[in-house]
Amino acid sequence: MGKVYVFDHPLIQHKLTYIRDKNTGTKEFRELVEEVATLMAFEITRDLPLEEVEIETPVSKAKAKVIAGKKLGVIPILRAGMGMVDGILKLIPAAKVGHIGLYRDPETLKPVEYYVKLPTDVEERDFIIVDPMLATGGSAIEAINALKKRGAKSIKFMCLIAAPEGVEAVKNAHPDVDIYIAALDEKLNDHGYIVPGLGDAGDRLFGTK
Ligand code: PRP
Ligand code: URA
């Protein structure tokens, strides 16, 4: 069964409080989402393999460690996942970025796929799918399906806020995928919104509605 990691670092929790606040405007919301994504990327890359290289400091020769050429891919689920990409690329700028376009039908709450563009070497990459919200889990499950269908072997899912229902659904559908979240909220409401959540992530990021 996939593992669930809650990154409850004080900086992440602090910033998340302002992300949730309905009085936080679009500019600040966007900046905070990016910052939390950077902090989460720091944690999620903890297991990257290292290799030893020889360098010369101003004082002497030294053996030191660098990241061993791991091929990473960041996949935002459009639209709201876009808000997390730059924050992650700040720490891992060599990662390739693919896109999966899904929207949740407001009536059925089922995800509808409208765009997929991935790096060419899908089978060799370790992927991190990013989306601020994991609600019913439908979008995450569909995005993971889309990646697996094209040959992906290694996938992590990272979001800011998750509902227990969504976490269970992803764990059941994709037991090989670990889930990384900043907060596990209480429940979903009748419209499939996370309670207390932050509202509609895409609308708050892009100032639409
Ligand atoms: C939101 C969110 C997730 C999805 C989560 O996207 O960004 O992708 O809903 O809900 P689920 O877990 O029940 O599938 P939305 O469909 O509103 O599209 P948008 O990002 O384009 O606004
Ligand atoms: N999508 C959002 O943007 N917010 C929610 O609470 C649920 C789905």
Side-chain angles (χ1 to χ4, degrees), residues 139-162:
S139 303
I141 291 169
E142 208 44 48
I144 298 166
N145 283 340
L147 262 185
K148 284 186 174 172
K149 203 162 77 187
R150 290 163 178 84
K153 305 269 186 299
S154 165
I155 303 171
K156 293 174 174 171
F157 182 82
M158 177 170 128
C159 66
L160 302 189
I161 300 180

Side-chain angles (χ1 to χ4, degrees), residues 67-183:
I67 306 276
K70 194 84 178 157
K71 289 182 156 191
L72 296 175
V74 180
I75 311 287
I77 300 179
L78 305 179
R79 293 176 294 168
M82 285 301 293
M84 299 172 74
V85 173
D86 286 351
I88 297 171
L89 293 180
K90 277 203 175 116
L91 294 191
I92 39 174
K96 295 268 197 284
V97 181
H99 297 85
I100 297 181
L102 297 173
Y103 69 89
R104 201 171 71 149
D105 184 300
E107 302 287 316
T108 64
L109 300 184
K110 297 270 176 271
V112 182
E113 184 182 300
Y114 60 88
Y115 185 74
V116 178
K117 181 75 181 174
L118 302 176
T120 47
D121 49 359
V122 171
E123 289 174 20
E124 298 156 38
R125 274 185 196 274
D126 290 345
F127 287 101
I128 308 171
I129 300 179
V130 297
D131 190 325
M133 309 305 275
L134 175 61
T136 64
S139 303
I141 291 169
E142 208 44 48
I144 298 166
N145 283 340
L147 262 185
K148 284 186 174 172
K149 203 162 77 187
R150 290 163 178 84
K153 305 269 186 299
S154 165
I155 303 171
K156 293 174 174 171
F157 182 82
M158 177 170 128
C159 66
L160 302 189
I161 300 180
E165 296 90 327
V167 171
E168 275 315 299
V170 174
K171 277 168 69 177
N172 288 329
H174 295 291
D176 56 319
V177 173
D178 289 343
I179 303 170
Y180 300 80
I181 61 189

Side-chain angles (χ1 to χ4, degrees), residues 15 29 33 36 43 65 86 93 113 137 145 147 176 188 192:
K15 289 174 191 295
F29 184 90
V33 167
V36 171
E43 296 278 5
K65 293 189 172 149
D86 286 351
E113 184 182 300
N145 283 340
L147 262 185
D176 56 319
L188 292 177

Side-chain angles (χ1 to χ4, degrees), residues 80 104 133-136 188 191-195 197-203:
R104 201 171 71 149
M133 309 305 275
L134 175 61
T136 64
L188 292 177
H191 305 288
Y193 274 81
I194 300 176
V195 181
L198 54 72
D200 187 305
D203 283 343

